[in-house]
Amino acid sequence: MEIVRPQWKPPSNDIVSTLPLYRSAPALEVRLEDFELYAMDRLRVLKGISDGLSRGKKPEEMKNLVNDLWKVNMKHPQASEVFNKDVISHFVLRLVYCRTEDLRKWFLSMETALFRHRFRLLTADSQRALLAELGLPYKAVARAEFEVIKEKLVQVARSISQPIPSSDAIFYKVPFEEVPELVAGRRIFICKGHAYVAMNQVVSLVVTQFRSLLSKALILTNRKWTSMIREQEKDRLTPLREDHHLKHGGRMQLGLFLKGVGLKLDDALAFWKAEFSQKVGAERFDKEYAYSIRHNYGREGKRTDYTPYSCQKIISLTPSVGDHHGCPYRHFSEDNLRAALSRMGVNNGAVEDVMDKVRNRHYQLACTLTFEAIHGLSCDAGINHPNQYFSDSQKILKLKSHSSEQGESTAD
């Protein structure tokens, strides 16, 4: 994370919003353990929001959910550090989620949803302070203009079951295209290309601006990551065989895959212990990790015999800070994927075909093309599961080996 001193100035009045816009990374020294801890805490908030939205929770339910998620995960023993944790965690995740289009899209949506709910909790004065901080060139509608259109504003309020505007109500006059969600929901009065936004609807205007700022910032961060940071960090972000540790998501995906290809429980325990004990020690491995391995094999807990992850499930995963699992076609950067394909022996022409599928988000087709390029045979059924990839590959290799042996025998 590049450390840059904030460039913005607070509004001229004495009220400053406690909701940051994350325009520049804070000029702070952060301990490595806090760097990861803060990011993981914020990620729990964002994933909780994602789960709530995917389950179709109503606005009031989402409001309560976000409040609970924030209180539980973003607290800090020192009250003065809560704001710093907020800002630091955002920028750490921005660095992580800038790397692919899918990751940027998810992060942008969840951060925008979080911002929306937090803005609604601000006082009216703090909301106006944030408007000033954004530098939006909108002024409250003058009293004379308000009286001219008051009846129209009353009609709109009645149609959407909102309180009738009082004589001292504050409205902002803005270009209608800057509040698309209000226009789409017919929740606003429009006249001559301008929308009249009530103070309780300002959230739509602010969120649009916030989303635009964050979207541009994510693209810039991706460019910096690609050109500068990735090369510097590659030696610090290496996976299991060098660090001798893999987080829960990676252990689940790899462990169940190995189980699916025939690795027995005793062998699985021996494999994971040989790796993990080099970092955490044999005693800690037995206490903290062995249980989950036995659990995957149906020997603990509810005795469920878990099955390996399918391609669809793996593609839907959202790896977080320090994770090394997921689908390479979805979660790798373009450069990393190209390098991996090259190491696998995929020729340049096939690589371009694979990358074309990836850009169009056809990840399983990209995997199928890789399989065909490596094995020199078509795969009409397509690749739908990592264990299918393994078993089909084994069949082809055995067939080629058998054909080769027969050829040598004939030659003799």
Side-chain angles (χ1 to χ4, degrees):
M1 177 170 69
E2 182 183 4
I3 303 300
V4 181
R5 292 193 177 277
Q7 299 298 312
W8 57 268
K9 295 181 180 180
S12 57
N13 57 32
D14 294 332
I15 299 173
V16 179
S17 171
T18 56
L19 178 56
L21 294 172
Y22 312 107
R23 282 181 163 168
S24 57
L28 298 170
E29 291 186 2
V30 186
R31 296 186 307 164
L32 187 59
E33 52 266 40
D34 288 340
F35 190 86
E36 181 174 2
L37 178 63
Y38 290 178
M40 293 302 296
D41 284 346
R42 191 183 195 92
L43 189 59
R44 291 188 186 97
V45 175
L46 299 185
K47 284 193 171 182
I49 293 173
S50 179
D51 290 343
L53 292 173
S54 65
R55 292 173 184 172
K57 286 186 176 291
K58 297 178 180 179
E60 189 62 27
E61 293 175 321
M62 285 300 302
K63 174 184 174 182
N64 295 332
L65 174 64
V66 175
N67 289 346
D68 292 341
L69 287 168
W70 190 264
K71 289 179 182 177
V72 170
N73 295 289
M74 296 302 291
K75 61 187 177 182
H76 194 282
Q78 302 176 29
S80 59
E81 289 298 311
V82 172
F83 183 85
N84 288 340
K85 179 177 180 178
D86 178 8
V87 177
I88 291 167
S89 63
H90 170 89
F91 278 96
V92 176
L93 291 186
R94 183 189 291 189
L95 183 61
V96 174
Y97 280 84
C98 76
R99 304 180 192 186
T100 69
E101 183 181 350
D102 282 340
L103 291 177
R104 290 195 296 272
K105 183 179 179 181
W106 184 85
F107 181 71
L108 179 63
S109 294
M110 295 309 107
E111 280 285 343
T112 301
L114 174 61
F115 183 88
R116 179 192 303 277
H117 286 281
R118 294 182 67 195
F119 180 84
R120 284 175 170 155
L121 294 176
L122 297 177
T123 64
D125 286 340
S126 293
Q127 289 181 349
R128 283 193 287 270
L130 199 61
L131 282 172
E133 190 176 330
L134 278 167
L136 298 177
Y138 311 126
K139 295 182 179 180
V141 174
R143 185 55 44 197
E145 185 176 2
F146 174 80
E147 292 299 330
V148 172
I149 61 171
K150 182 177 179 180
E151 186 55 37
K152 296 291 185 181
L153 298 176
V154 168
Q155 291 177 14
V156 172
R158 284 175 177 162
S159 69
I160 59 175
S161 301
Q162 290 293 312
I164 303 302
S166 61
S167 58
D168 59 349
I170 298 175
F171 280 80
Y172 291 90
K173 183 179 180 180
V174 306
F176 77 91
E177 63 269 18
E178 296 193 12
V179 283
E181 62 179 29
L182 294 178
V183 174
R186 298 185 178 182
R187 290 180 285 146
I188 203 163
F189 173 60
I190 299 176
C191 181
K192 297 181 180 179
H194 286 89
Y196 290 81
V197 183
M199 193 62 209
N200 63 0
Q201 296 174 316
V202 162
V203 61
S204 178
L205 179 63
V206 174
V207 164
T208 299
Q209 296 297 320
F210 174 80
R211 186 183 182 91
S212 176
L213 288 172
L214 181 54
S215 179
K216 293 174 183 176
L218 283 167
I219 293 172
L220 290 175
T221 306
N222 172 261
R223 291 174 183 169
K224 285 191 175 183
W225 168 263
T226 303
S227 63
M228 298 169 53
I229 304 173
R230 182 176 58 207
E231 187 64 24
Q232 299 169 9
E233 294 294 312
K234 68 177 183 179
D235 294 329
R236 298 204 314 137
L237 302 176
T238 48
L240 171 65
R241 295 313 293 264
E242 293 182 30
D243 195 37
H244 301 290
H245 191 274
L246 200 60
K247 292 191 174 183
H248 177 73
R251 295 199 302 273
M252 288 293 290
Q253 184 175 327
L254 177 58
L256 291 175
F257 169 80
L258 294 174
K259 176 187 175 185
V261 301
L263 189 68
K264 303 300 182 185
L265 175 58
D266 289 344
D267 294 328
L269 287 168
F271 164 74
W272 290 106
K273 188 169 186 177
E275 291 297 334
F276 272 54
S277 60
Q278 296 182 54
K279 180 174 182 178
V280 304
E283 183 178 351
R284 183 180 168 191
F285 173 84
D286 290 337
K287 288 182 177 179
E288 298 183 16
Y289 298 99
Y291 175 90
S292 64
I293 297 169
R294 293 194 299 271
H295 190 272
N296 284 349
Y297 280 77
R299 305 294 178 84
E300 300 285 359
K302 296 181 179 179
R303 310 285 176 172
T304 302
D305 190 18
Y306 292 93
T307 57
Y309 290 175
S310 66
C311 288
Q312 186 176 2
K313 180 176 178 62
I314 294 171
I315 289 169
S316 70
L317 298 174
T318 308
S320 57
V321 180
D323 281 332
H324 300 286
H325 62 286
C327 170
Y329 301 95
R330 179 184 175 187
H331 299 117
F332 274 21
S333 67
E334 181 171 334
D335 288 346
N336 283 346
L337 182 55
R338 285 181 180 274
L341 293 171
S342 178
R343 289 194 299 270
M344 294 164 69
V346 180
N347 64 56
N348 291 337
V351 167
E352 294 307 318
D353 290 339
V354 170
M355 297 310 302
D356 182 63
K357 296 300 182 186
V358 169
R359 292 188 194 100
N360 288 290
R361 303 181 186 179
H362 300 312
Y363 306 116
Q364 289 174 237
L365 291 178
C367 186
T368 301
L369 290 178
T370 301
F371 183 95
E372 294 176 340
I374 292 173
H375 296 88
L377 293 172
S378 63
C379 181
D380 296 335
I383 299 298
N384 300 298
H385 201 292
N387 291 83
Q388 173 214 348
Y389 188 112
F390 176 83
S391 61
D392 287 355
S393 178
Q394 289 292 297
K395 290 175 184 177
I396 293 172
L397 293 176
K398 287 179 181 179
L399 182 62
K400 287 184 177 181
S401 176
H402 181 66
S403 298
S404 177
E405 289 174 0
Q406 283 187 328
E408 291 176 0
S409 176
T410 302
D412 291 342

